[in-house]
Amino acid sequence: MDTSELIEILDREGRSLALAAEAAGTGAEVPTCPDWQVRDLLRHTGMVHRWAAGFVAEGHTSPRPGGGEPELDGAELLAWFREGHRHLVDTLRSAAPDVKCWYFLPAPSPLAFWARRQAHETTVHRVDAESARGGGIGDIAPGFAADGIDELLRGFHARRRSRVRSDEPLVLRVRATDTGDAVWTVRLSQQPPVAELGETGTADCEVAGPAAQLYLSLWNRAPFPGVTGDASVAALWREKSAVTWS
């Protein structure tokens, strides 16, 4: 996706997250993250926004720890979150296209990476905030959802730290039914998963459905819309695929 489009999505999603969090209240439980209340969600996402902006704004070329989460709550916490989100959006919008800084997944450029990563980070956590508020989850565009599935499968879980492993070789197919050729073949083994675009060979299990539903399912925010074949492969994904900050 185009970097400027991703920044626009990040802008919109962060504002929607804050509105949902405000409506829910910072003490509300987050059903999609059972160990969290809304205050934890705001503190975490606000910290990540500031951490990400720092690489682009200050040109850091090696990994750096996050700045820690504040003890703020209520209206002060919401204001802190909104300030950090606005700073991230403004930083990405004003950055030179060839800015040099650290990033951790394959991307055309550091700026493209951070725009994509923070757009998806914020969208998933917007869904968390809406789950706490109740009243339904807002839309996720199919093309953007497919992009996020690709980032997760071919980016995050290609890293050695992925815990999705299988003693015996298995193949999981992921098929978005509303975005044309958005199909991935994910090979599971004792090594990190290897995902490729396209329908290659036979699969032990296929998960299929609209891209937005698959996106949330693969991030463990919703059940899989449809599972065929060996359901234990889909269960393995749900058990092992959590992406954590540390």
Side-chain angles (χ1 to χ4, degrees), residues 3 6 18 22 26 35 43 65 84 89 96 101 155-156 159 164 189 191-192 210 224:
T3 298
L6 289 165
E22 189 170 30
T26 57
D35 295 333
R43 290 168 181 170
V89 171
C101 65
F156 274 104
R159 300 186 300 168
V164 184
S189 69
Q191 300 300 315
F224 284 117

Side-chain angles (χ1 to χ4, degrees), residues 46-137:
M47 178 272 291
V48 171
H49 284 171
R50 286 165 167 78
W51 174 77
F55 287 105
V56 179
E58 300 168 28
H60 300 299
T61 56
S62 59
R64 294 167 62 88
E69 298 179 7
E71 294 297 323
L72 300 172
D73 204 349
E76 289 183 331
L77 177 58
L78 278 157
W80 176 85
F81 171 84
R82 286 178 164 122
E83 178 185 21
H85 169 250
R86 175 50 45 202
H87 174 60
L88 173 62
V89 171
D90 291 345
T91 295
L92 295 175
R93 279 182 175 151
S94 63
D98 60 350
V99 64
K100 305 298 184 196
C101 65
W102 178 78
Y103 58 110
F104 61 88
L105 296 178
S109 70
L111 182 60
F113 165 80
W114 285 111
R116 183 194 205 194
R117 176 80 290 280
Q118 292 308 302
H120 289 296
E121 174 88 8
T122 307
T123 298
V124 170
H125 289 319
R126 181 265 290 175
V127 170
D128 293 333
E130 290 177 339
S131 79
R133 179 202 62 196
I137 301 300

Side-chain angles (χ1 to χ4, degrees), residues 180-200:
D181 58 354
V183 181
W184 296 262
T185 300
V186 186
R187 302 186 187 281
L188 308 179
S189 69
Q190 296 180 25
Q191 300 300 315
V194 177
E196 58 182 314
L197 277 171
E199 187 170 349
T200 306

